[in-house]
Amino acid sequence: MPWKRKYEAQLDAELREHVERQAAEYVAQGMLPEEARRKALAEFGGVELAKEECRDVNAWRVVAPLGRDLKHAVRALRKSPVFALVAVLVLGFAIGANLTAFTWVDALFLRLLPVDKPDELVQIWSTNATGDQLNTFSKAIEVLRSEPMFSGTCAFEEVAQPTEIDGVMRTVVGEAMSWDCFRALGLRTQLGRVYTQAEDFRSEDRVIVLSDALWRDGFGADRGILGRQIRYGGAMYTVIGVMEPRFTGLNPGASIGLIVPVSQVPQFPEPAIRGPFNIWAYFLVRRATGVTLEQVRARLAVVGPRMLDEGAPPFYNAPQRRDYATRKIVAAPAGSGTDGKWFSRRFGAPLYAFWGICGLVLGVACVSLATLLVARGVARRKEIVVRLALGGSRLAISRLLAFEGALLVLGGAAIGAALARFANQFVAARASETFRLTFRAGLDLRAGLLLMGLVATVIAILSLVIAWQVRRFGNAGLSQNERGTTAAGTRSQKLLLGAQVALTLTLVCTGGLLAASIRHLYQLDLGIRTRDLFFAQLRTDPAPGGRRPENQYFAELRDRIQALPGVTGAAFSEVAPFWTFTHTERTSLLEGPAPEIDALAIAVDDPALGLLGIPILAGDGFRGFGVASSEPFAIVTRSLADRFGGDSVIGKHVRVANFLTMQRLRVVGISGNAQFGLANPEEREPPTVFVNFWEQSRRQAFSALLVKTAAGVSLSGNAVAGAVRSLGREYVGEFRTVDHAKDDALIENTALAFVSGGFGAFALVLAAAGLFGLLNYHVATRVPEIGVRMALGAEPSDLRWLVVREMLPIVAAGSAAGLVLAFAVGSTLSGVVYGIGAHDPALLAASAIALLATALLAAWVPAQRAVRIDPVEALRQE
Amino acid sequence: MLILKIVELGPVHGYGISQRIQRISKDALQVRQGSLYPALHRLEKRGWLKAEWGESDAGRQSKFYSLSTEGRRQLRRERESWERLAGAVGLILKTVE
């Protein structure tokens, strides 16, 4: 700061001149120079002091005292390291939790699409009669392209395919994008180019654009990558470009590896088509200048039917076309990512609940820190009052104390950021392992801003508490007796403790609620036996020239698996048990006037039901193994049979949606109810049609291999994978126990229960510590009184009561407020809580009792201390 | 007010001011010399004094203080209020006698 240096120089010159002139005068009067100078200095009275006072008058008077305050604050905190440590840890924990929650909410729901002007984008999809958000056949985009209302259009869908990179097969998520996407979204390559309309064409010449992530991870950012051939799915693709780094995909939280033209999406088996090719896709359009979302919706109402008619898949038959035409075309803003994806449906409510709980924890941390500060304020009363008496302004003293608070908060923020980093890495690893999701959940600018906001808020709250307390002490003054200020201090401490008790009870209730919910979910009888049951997710290896696996292959595979040591049974199922992606189909009874039912349709083979422990209650199971009958047959669950007229359904026929092979299925048996999918755990005994695996060749791809072992056998995934690979047609995508699959299906509920339970315990400990501190202080200040009481013959129980009584109003008032708060929080949690009322009275009561028990525990030590007081010793103090 | 009155006589440096204070008050006011400067700086900051660096008699750079327009006004105000107070006190003393 040059201005400061200049000021210092001038100040120095001015003061020195004064002294020199004075000295010169004395010399003129006949003094020796040395003596004259000493006398002049003495009369001046301290050059540095004068300088300091001058500086105070001037510009950086704001800055310099801050430096002094900082020094003071560091010194004060160093004197009480335990207080500082506890405060920093509590704050660090709370801030870290909030930061973590925000990072995930942001990554999944708030962050804007990584494209140009995302707020102008509108996403378009179609819904069926039940309102499910579905992708639409991509041919329909031609209707949108001719609309002047849109300045750009884009058809896209995520496509995961086995990809060979340097001879190693791995599944890479690609974004299939129509040729016009790049212009519509404003995307550019950092290397090479994007594909043209002429290249978005199905032929042998295929092109691909790599994402920045795959280019770096898979190819070491090799700039000579252009022109290289990559096997993606079953075909070879030529790399023509590398996308700019910002583009990570169109779904929130996605991290795609490559971009492939819609017409060149890998298919297995490869269709013999040369020309444009369509897939099931979602659409994005960019609104032209001045066009509103309402105008887009109005226009879609007009052109929507044309999109479904002209854009219907050419392979549809008449009933399928009719059904497709009943869909509705729907539009929504796409700024923060394309919606309707499974993970936002699945994780949305739990994540926001998690964030809310973290907010509560931060509240608890703030209040408990304020309590600590107040308690400390009571202890430092003398210092504060003396400072006030010496003329320190209230503002200056509050600032001094707030500085200590700010230091603690900054320490907490540092720990919090570190914790959040760790938590994010942990969750991200878990997410990619369990859900094949890759998130960029690093701490970025937005998280940094939130962190600063949190820090500012906490400092503001603490400063308010401090200013308020200093004001009280100021009013009480030094002359007043000590008890007045002490009482004022403990009164505010009690108030804060009450608030802390309220927030704690809320957290305990929430934790209890979610724990009860997860317990309920695990105790649900899903109708499936999971003991000693494993499953392997089978994936077709689409090697060029490969064939789709068929019945004979599956029969052979089954034999090989059954030959493995320890294996007692093997079976095939279209989906793995406890799948969370299942969706229902319109199912109707062909004979009789029964209503259409939304039912799951799952292809299983005969032993599958047996391995899963699903009993056949009436009729037969699938007769024979590997046999396709003249008339395809089905087994319905008890819940579906009951809606189709009970046992009389056997021998009748059902139709499932528009699936070609399911237009007339003869019902041969009724099975027990089983909850195969866990997309919605609340949906009990879902109506299900089990169709014959051997008769549904279209449903054999991506099937699950169920393996039952003898009790206690730990089946090796490598043995199963080896057996699958030995047949050369498929590979194992994942291998797990069915119990593990259930854990994963419920992971968001488990995590939420675990986290909120942990936070509840954390809050309980804090509240107990606060109460303990208060009561301990209470006993310490009343030693003489207790001594007198003892001398007068008070019973120990009376004395204990004396201590406990002090705490009861706090706990009672806090609990009352907490119950109200818990009631409110419970209402917002109804979406993530299963099998227990959000306002379960027993749970609320149990939480309150747990809190009271903790409070009594906290009171125990001070109470014992009161009892152990020696009356003689106590009276001597008086 | 004393400082303002002294500076009113013309631009003067800090040492000069302290000398004059001692002379005028005939050593009745024994102010620590060092505490003069914060007062000067405060008055300067309030805009009542102007400060300039200039050549002094001895041929070296000194900081000269002079009265600003606002300072002149302030001096008048203070003088008036002092005279009012002094008058009032005089009146009281006379009445009591």
Side-chain angles (χ1 to χ4, degrees):
Chain A
M1 283 181 284
W3 56 269
K4 184 174 173 179
R5 225 174 293 136
K6 189 179 168 199
Y7 176 86
E8 285 291 335
Q10 291 189 345
L11 186 65
D12 189 57
E14 189 180 11
L15 298 188
R16 199 170 25 202
E17 195 206 339
H18 180 110
V19 176
E20 279 168 9
R21 274 172 191 269
Q22 182 78 64
E25 187 122 320
Y26 289 139
V27 170
Q29 287 170 14
M31 272 190 206
L32 288 170
E34 194 57 15
E35 193 182 345
R37 190 175 156 73
R38 206 174 305 127
K39 187 166 157 59
L41 274 174
E43 272 178 13
F44 194 84
V47 178
E48 280 310 312
L49 181 69
K51 274 189 187 173
E52 190 65 32
E53 284 168 352
C54 285
R55 285 184 201 119
D56 275 358
V57 174
N58 274 286
W60 58 85
R61 55 189 298 261
V62 196
V63 185
L66 283 190
R68 222 166 40 217
D69 285 0
L70 185 70
K71 251 185 256 166
H72 182 277
V74 170
R75 212 164 48 219
L77 289 179
R78 211 184 283 159
K79 266 191 196 162
S80 42
V82 177
F83 164 77
L85 191 71
V86 169
V88 166
L89 285 180
V90 165
L91 275 173
F93 189 68
I95 289 176
N98 274 279
L99 210 53
T100 310
F102 169 78
T103 313
W104 289 91
V105 169
D106 184 49
L108 282 177
F109 307 111
L110 302 180
R111 199 168 293 170
L112 294 177
L113 274 183
V115 301
D116 281 354
K117 295 187 193 135
D119 47 314
E120 286 179 0
L121 294 176
V122 176
Q123 54 173 323
I124 294 175
W125 66 87
S126 54
T127 60
N128 61 9
T130 45
D132 295 330
Q133 296 180 353
L134 301 171
N135 45 14
T136 313
F137 201 61
S138 64
K139 195 169 162 41
I141 199 173
E142 283 162 25
V143 176
L144 296 173
R145 279 183 185 137
S146 61
E147 287 295 323
M149 192 174 259
F150 306 132
S151 63
T153 53
C154 171
F156 70 97
E157 176 65 305
E158 272 187 7
V159 188
Q161 288 284 339
T163 306
E164 200 176 325
I165 294 170
D166 290 335
V168 180
M169 292 293 280
R170 62 193 230 197
T171 302
V172 171
V173 176
E175 192 91 71
M177 285 166 66
S178 58
W179 55 272
D180 48 352
C181 284
F182 302 105
R183 201 179 61 82
L185 304 176
L187 295 175
R188 286 159 289 273
T189 51
Q190 54 179 309
L191 193 67
R193 58 181 182 88
V194 297
Y195 42 83
T196 61
Q197 182 173 8
E199 281 169 318
D200 192 351
F201 185 89
R202 201 164 193 90
S203 67
E204 299 309 311
D205 302 322
R206 302 206 176 177
V207 294
I208 217 161
V209 174
L210 295 181
S211 75
D212 182 67
L214 186 64
W215 180 51
R216 285 177 195 286
D217 301 344
F219 301 97
D222 175 14
R223 298 192 73 83
I225 186 78
L226 299 183
R228 262 214 11 221
Q229 297 259 314
I230 293 175
R231 177 152 91 85
Y232 178 61
M236 299 307 285
Y237 289 77
T238 306
V239 177
I240 59 164
V242 178
M243 188 41 59
E244 56 184 313
R246 67 167 170 161
F247 186 70
T248 54
L250 290 168
N251 293 328
S255 177
I256 59 156
L258 44 81
I259 301 169
V260 57
V262 161
S263 288
Q264 297 182 355
V265 165
Q267 298 283 309
F268 189 77
E270 180 62 35
I273 295 175
R274 282 187 75 87
F277 180 77
N278 287 296
I279 60 168
W280 293 94
Y282 294 90
F283 303 140
L284 280 173
V285 295
R286 185 178 289 284
R287 288 183 279 121
T289 320
V291 176
T292 65
L293 183 63
E294 278 59 46
Q295 287 170 316
V296 172
R297 287 192 170 129
R299 186 63 193 152
L300 285 178
V302 177
V303 301
R306 246 178 67 212
M307 289 170 66
L308 295 171
D309 179 45
E310 294 172 18
F315 48 83
Y316 264 9
N317 61 18
Q320 283 176 317
R321 283 187 79 99
R322 263 200 309 279
D323 189 60
Y324 189 64
T326 63
R327 286 194 186 185
K328 297 255 176 316
I329 300 290
V330 182
S336 59
T338 49
D339 199 10
K341 294 301 176 192
W342 64 270
F343 56 82
S344 59
R345 279 201 301 275
R346 182 170 165 192
F347 297 120
L351 252 183
Y352 278 108
F354 172 54
W355 200 8
I357 291 168
C358 289
L360 266 178
V361 168
L362 189 64
V364 168
C366 269
V367 173
S368 83
L369 197 59
T371 320
L372 279 176
L373 278 175
V374 169
R376 221 165 103 79
V378 172
R380 288 171 71 181
R381 182 193 69 254
K382 219 167 241 168
E383 180 200 335
I384 294 172
V385 176
V386 166
R387 275 173 186 277
L388 284 171
L390 287 179
S393 71
R394 273 178 203 164
L395 182 73
I397 292 169
S398 304
R399 197 178 57 195
L400 195 71
L401 297 179
F403 234 88
E404 289 180 38
L407 272 187
L408 294 177
V409 177
L410 287 178
I415 291 186
L419 274 180
R421 225 182 114 79
F422 173 75
N424 275 330
Q425 279 169 355
F426 176 75
V427 182
R430 193 92 174 80
S432 79
E433 174 199 325
T434 307
F435 305 110
R436 303 275 176 272
L437 279 180
T438 322
F439 290 105
R440 281 193 185 175
L443 299 178
D444 58 1
L445 182 71
R446 293 156 67 94
L449 285 178
L450 179 92
L451 182 65
M452 271 152 60
L454 285 177
V455 166
T457 314
V458 176
I459 289 181
I461 293 172
L462 294 184
S463 303
L464 275 178
V465 171
I466 287 163
W468 173 58
Q469 206 182 9
V470 168
R471 207 176 69 95
R472 292 196 97 145
F473 287 150
N475 290 343
L478 189 61
S479 57
Q480 298 237 333
N481 66 13
E482 285 194 4
R483 192 153 289 174
T485 51
T486 308
T490 45
R491 209 162 34 239
S492 38
Q493 204 177 343
K494 282 179 191 171
L495 212 68
L496 286 168
L497 269 173
Q500 198 179 342
V501 166
L503 288 174
T504 302
L505 184 59
T506 313
L507 270 174
V508 171
C509 283
T510 311
L513 192 63
L514 292 164
S517 159
I518 190 69
R519 192 162 153 262
H520 167 80
L521 285 178
Y522 270 101
Q523 283 179 346
L524 279 182
D525 178 16
L526 299 173
I528 292 175
R529 273 209 313 268
T530 58
R531 262 180 81 84
D532 304 318
L533 195 57
F534 296 77
F535 79 91
Q537 195 70 55
L538 298 178
R539 303 221 184 274
T540 308
D541 178 6
R547 285 170 301 139
R548 192 182 270 283
E550 76 305 311
N551 285 355
Q552 195 199 334
Y553 160 79
F554 284 112
E556 209 177 320
L557 177 59
R558 212 190 91 122
D559 289 343
R560 293 216 181 177
I561 297 296
Q562 279 180 329
L564 291 175
V567 170
T568 58
F572 295 103
S573 161
E574 178 187 355
V575 294
F578 309 125
W579 202 234
T580 50
F581 296 79
T582 51
H583 61 271
T584 56
E585 310 286 355
R586 307 290 283 171
T587 304
S588 52
L589 189 64
L590 295 180
E591 296 92 354
E596 273 199 336
I597 304 288
D598 287 319
L600 287 173
I602 300 171
V604 289
D605 66 356
D606 189 19
L609 292 183
L611 289 193
L612 291 164
I614 302 172
I616 301 297
L617 301 176
D620 310 316
F622 298 131
R623 277 161 300 176
F625 172 73
V627 177
S629 58
S630 56
E631 190 175 40
F633 49 71
I635 294 172
V636 297
T637 54
R638 170 56 71 193
S639 52
L640 183 59
D642 285 348
R643 302 204 203 167
F644 282 162
D647 285 359
S648 68
V649 76
I650 294 177
K652 291 184 181 169
H653 296 83
V654 293
R655 165 178 176 255
V656 179
N658 293 318
F659 300 114
L660 279 174
T661 51
M662 297 189 207
Q663 292 303 294
R664 191 178 164 82
L665 298 167
R666 187 157 61 86
V667 178
V668 295
I670 299 173
S671 76
N673 288 321
Q675 199 160 345
F676 225 84
L678 266 182
N680 179 6
E682 196 84 292
E683 199 179 39
R684 306 285 295 120
E685 306 184 344
T688 306
V689 184
F690 292 112
V691 295
N692 187 350
F693 184 79
W694 308 106
E695 293 170 347
Q696 306 291 339
S697 60
R698 285 190 69 86
R699 293 187 165 237
Q700 288 173 348
F702 306 111
S703 52
L705 168 67
L706 299 168
V707 187
K708 183 101 172 170
T709 62
V713 171
S714 168
L715 187 60
S716 138
N718 286 340
V720 174
V724 172
R725 243 196 340 264
S726 68
L727 287 171
R729 305 271 282 270
E730 288 185 308
Y731 64 99
V732 171
E734 59 181 307
F735 178 80
R736 275 187 287 180
T737 66
V738 174
D739 273 327
H740 193 165
K742 189 171 169 182
D743 291 343
D744 284 343
L746 299 175
I747 192 165
E748 70 272 29
N749 301 288
T750 321
L752 199 56
F754 181 74
V755 164
S756 63
F759 285 176
F762 171 71
L764 262 184
V765 170
L766 283 185
L771 285 170
F772 169 78
L774 178 76
L775 295 179
N776 214 13
Y777 182 75
H778 178 72
V779 171
T781 53
R782 290 175 72 176
V783 166
E785 182 200 332
I786 294 171
V788 170
R789 280 171 191 267
M790 273 187 138
L792 291 178
E795 294 290 321
S797 59
D798 297 339
L799 294 176
R800 284 199 194 100
W801 173 242
L802 193 72
V803 175
V804 171
R805 200 179 56 190
E806 193 69 13
M807 170 201 81
L808 284 184
I810 303 173
V811 174
S815 299
L819 285 179
V820 173
L821 204 57
F823 203 80
V825 171
S827 306
T828 64
L829 281 177
S830 54
V832 291
V833 167
Y834 301 100
I836 181 168
H839 308 126
D840 190 59
L843 187 81
L844 292 181
S847 304
I849 289 170
L851 188 77
L852 190 67
T854 312
L856 285 175
L857 211 63
W860 181 249
V861 175
Q864 279 307 105
R865 198 177 145 192
V867 170
R868 260 190 253 112
I869 287 173
D870 179 3
V872 180
E873 197 60 29
L875 289 173
R876 199 169 291 151
Q877 274 188 28
E878 188 72 327
Chain B
M1 187 169 105
L2 191 57
I3 295 173
L4 291 179
K5 182 65 195 159
I6 290 166
V7 175
E8 193 189 14
L9 302 174
V12 61
H13 46 68
Y15 180 69
I17 296 174
S18 82
Q19 291 297 309
R20 278 186 211 173
I21 289 178
Q22 270 182 1
R23 219 168 300 142
I24 291 171
S25 64
K26 307 199 174 60
D27 293 337
L29 287 172
Q30 274 296 344
V31 189
R32 186 169 55 90
Q33 290 178 12
S35 59
L36 172 68
Y37 287 89
L40 282 174
H41 284 227
R42 199 170 298 121
L43 292 176
E44 183 188 350
K45 196 163 162 60
R46 284 188 195 160
W48 296 345
L49 291 186
K50 283 182 297 192
E52 277 162 330
W53 286 84
E55 198 113 323
S56 76
D57 42 341
R60 53 183 171 193
Q61 289 282 314
S62 307
K63 195 173 179 185
F64 284 91
Y65 293 92
S66 58
L67 215 52
S68 70
T69 333
E70 180 55 36
R72 227 169 276 283
R73 223 175 285 142
Q74 177 65 19
L75 183 59
R76 199 171 58 237
R77 271 200 295 272
E78 287 197 16
R79 189 185 292 143
E80 280 165 9
S81 88
W82 168 251
E83 278 165 4
R84 250 201 322 278
L85 181 67
V89 172
L91 213 64
I92 293 165
L93 289 177
K94 264 181 216 148
T95 332
V96 171
E97 276 168 14

